[in-house]
């Protein structure tokens, strides 16, 4: 497989632990044929130590292309070996996590966003990844962490990593990370969004490709970012919590493809968030798992989908939801820098 045979990553779904697993990606691909999908972050050490059970962590169906494997780690040997092991599975890109602020990752694990403090190591790691795979490589990072949050420091990170490795694609979560013990959820909420950092990178590094991430919640806002010049947009929890209302618009509104005419009844999974009958359906689903006569997917849905009104099940894609009109109103305020 190769990234060049797919539409460009104008829209991608962020890697999310416990969320963007094989099941989610299977359903996401039914709805959108062109969105780029990411795995959950897989620690390089996990891949290396699970060589007898790699399919459990790395296997995916061919329909999930284009798909990116995200790995995390701080040991070059493990990163190299993990990349070698993953290479045969045919991912379309390998991404290194330099943005996770979780205490388990950036704290005790000493990787994730903490790697932004050591761009030389990240450059070495990306060179190691590139040397052990046949596909493009990328980095996902924040705009900084703690007091290391100036635009010049971000530029220093980008410059060193791209100079020391073949990395040409960076996914920029437009918030800094706080490593003071707050939760990952608070790290998505408390640090302010600084989209101006992202758009300044486009100007100051014209030979690189940047995807914007953070605080973008619907396809209308994705298109607003693209109109401002973004190379690509990554959406996180909105693409999970509002799977149907987000991904069902991607192919037509972003990529210009004809509408698929798909209804919720056809994919069946996970599309009832905030819809009538959702809570009753969840209770029926929990109860169905305990029933001895529920032995197939078909029997499971026959037992549970009676909770969802036909008007919801048979609904086609609604009109494109409107986004915030001023989200990128002040993104040109940073002076050019020299690195």
């Amino acid at each position: 497989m190769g990234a060049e045979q797919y539409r460009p990553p104008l829209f991608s779904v962020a890697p999310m632990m416990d969320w963007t697993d094989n099941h989610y990606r299977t359903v996401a691909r039914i709805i959108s044929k062109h969105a780029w999908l990411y795995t959950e972050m897989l620690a390089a050490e996990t891949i290396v130590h699970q060589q007898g059970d790699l399919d459990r962590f790395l296997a995916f169906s061919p329909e999930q292309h284009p798909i990116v494997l995200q790995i995390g780690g701080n040991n070059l040997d493990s990163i190299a070996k993990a990349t070698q092991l993953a290479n045969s599975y045919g991912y379309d890109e390998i991404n290194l996590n330099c943005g996770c602020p979780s205490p388990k990752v950036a704290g005790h694990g000493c990787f994730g966003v903490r790697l932004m403090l050591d761009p030389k190591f990240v450059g070495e790691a990306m060179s190691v990844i590139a040397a052990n795979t046949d596909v493009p490589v990328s980095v996902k990072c924040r705009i900084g962490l703690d007091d290391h949050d100036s635009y010049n420091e971000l530029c220093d990170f980008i410059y060193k990593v791209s100079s020391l490795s073949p990395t040409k694609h960076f996914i920029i979560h437009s918030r800094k990370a706080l490593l003071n013990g707050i939760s990952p959820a608070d790290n998505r909420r408390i640090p302010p969004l600084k989209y101006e950092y992202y758009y300044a990178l486009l100007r100051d590094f014209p030979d690189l490709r940047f995807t914007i991430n953070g605080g973008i919640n619907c396809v209308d806002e994705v298109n607003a970012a693209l109109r401002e010049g973004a190379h690509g947009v990554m959406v996180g929890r909105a693409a999970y919590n509002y799977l149907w209302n987000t991904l069902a618009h991607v192919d037509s509104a972003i990529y210009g493809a004809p509408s698929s005419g798909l209804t919720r009844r056809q994919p069946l999974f996970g599309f009832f968030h905030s819809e009538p009958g959702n809570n009753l359906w969840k209770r029926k689903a929990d109860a169905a798992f305990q029933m001895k006569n529920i032995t197939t997917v078909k029997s499971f849905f026959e037992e549970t989908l009676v909770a969802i009104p036909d008007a919801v099940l048979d609904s086609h894609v609604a009109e494109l939801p409107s986004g915030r009109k001023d989200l990128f109103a002040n993104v040109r305020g940073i002076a050019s820098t020299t690195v």
Side-chain angles (χ1 to χ4, degrees):
M1 293 295 174
E4 66 278 356
Q5 66 181 293
Y6 304 110
R7 302 282 186 97
L10 300 177
F11 180 97
S12 55
V13 178
M16 293 176 281
M17 293 297 293
D18 299 323
W19 288 20
T20 51
D21 58 14
N22 232 322
H23 306 294
Y24 169 84
R25 298 193 308 266
T26 297
V27 178
R29 182 58 71 220
I30 293 173
I31 308 172
S32 171
K33 303 303 181 187
H34 301 305
W36 281 64
L37 305 178
Y38 279 63
T39 67
E40 306 168 86
M41 183 193 72
L42 282 173
E45 300 282 351
T46 298
I47 297 173
V48 171
H49 291 135
Q50 295 290 336
Q51 292 186 47
D53 195 20
L54 283 180
D55 282 0
R56 173 186 167 198
F57 297 93
L58 295 173
F60 61 92
S61 64
E63 291 77 19
Q64 290 184 29
H65 289 289
I67 180 172
V68 180
L69 170 65
Q70 186 184 71
I71 62 175
N74 62 3
N75 180 282
L76 292 178
D77 289 339
S78 294
I79 290 171
K81 184 62 174 177
T83 305
Q84 291 173 0
L85 293 169
N87 200 40
S88 63
Y89 284 85
Y91 286 93
D92 299 297
E93 185 170 301
I94 308 293
N95 177 268
L96 181 66
N97 185 317
C98 294
C100 180
S102 162
K104 290 182 179 179
V105 173
H108 301 304
C110 291
F111 59 104
V113 74
R114 193 173 291 277
L115 294 182
M116 290 193 71
L117 297 175
D118 193 353
K120 181 176 181 292
F121 172 84
V122 175
E124 293 173 348
M126 296 309 297
S127 291
V128 164
I129 294 171
N132 287 280
T133 185
D134 302 321
V135 299
V137 297
S138 61
V139 167
K140 187 174 189 294
C141 63
R142 294 259 179 154
I143 59 172
L145 68 156
D146 294 333
D147 295 330
H148 302 276
D149 60 353
S150 70
Y151 178 66
N152 283 342
E153 287 172 292
L154 175 61
C155 287
D156 182 67
F157 176 82
I158 300 294
Y159 175 76
K160 288 180 178 176
V161 173
S162 61
S163 298
L164 294 170
S165 74
T167 309
K168 300 300 181 187
H169 181 202
F170 292 82
I171 298 98
I172 307 295
H173 186 147
S174 300
R175 291 183 174 94
K176 74 174 182 178
L178 296 172
L179 301 186
N180 59 0
I182 67 172
S183 69
D186 283 340
N187 253 307
R188 295 189 299 270
R189 180 180 59 85
I190 294 175
L193 287 160
K194 293 188 176 182
Y195 294 132
E196 63 270 25
Y197 279 32
Y198 170 82
Y199 283 99
L201 291 175
L202 302 187
R203 176 197 64 207
D204 293 335
F205 295 90
D207 295 331
L208 301 179
R209 183 161 55 90
F210 295 96
T211 293
I212 190 171
N213 173 229
I216 300 171
N217 296 324
C218 65
V219 167
D220 192 41
E221 293 173 359
V222 170
N223 277 331
L226 294 172
R227 286 194 298 270
E228 281 292 333
H231 299 154
V233 182
M234 176 176 280
V235 175
R237 276 146 182 81
Y240 185 93
N241 289 329
Y242 302 98
L243 174 60
W244 175 253
N245 288 327
T246 302
L247 292 190
H249 290 286
V250 167
D251 291 359
S252 57
I254 296 175
Y255 288 97
S259 175
S260 67
L262 197 68
T263 69
R264 296 190 204 217
R265 188 185 294 272
Q266 290 165 312
L268 290 176
F269 300 94
F271 301 145
F272 309 125
H273 185 80
S274 301
E275 297 290 350
N278 180 54
N279 289 334
L280 177 59
W281 180 76
K282 287 180 178 178
R283 291 195 297 272
K284 283 183 171 292
D286 288 340
F289 283 124
Q290 310 302 319
M291 297 180 182
K292 292 183 179 180
N293 63 314
I294 304 298
T295 58
T296 66
V297 171
K298 182 175 184 292
S299 60
F300 171 80
F301 283 113
E302 286 175 345
E303 179 67 30
T304 61
L305 285 179
V306 293
I308 306 296
D310 286 344
V312 173
L313 284 170
D314 296 321
S315 62
H316 291 270
V317 181
E319 291 186 6
L320 185 68
S322 296
R324 292 159 289 178
K325 302 304 181 187
D326 60 347
L327 194 58
F328 304 103
N330 301 297
V331 296
R332 307 292 179 186
I334 292 183
S336 183
T337 187
T338 302
V339 291

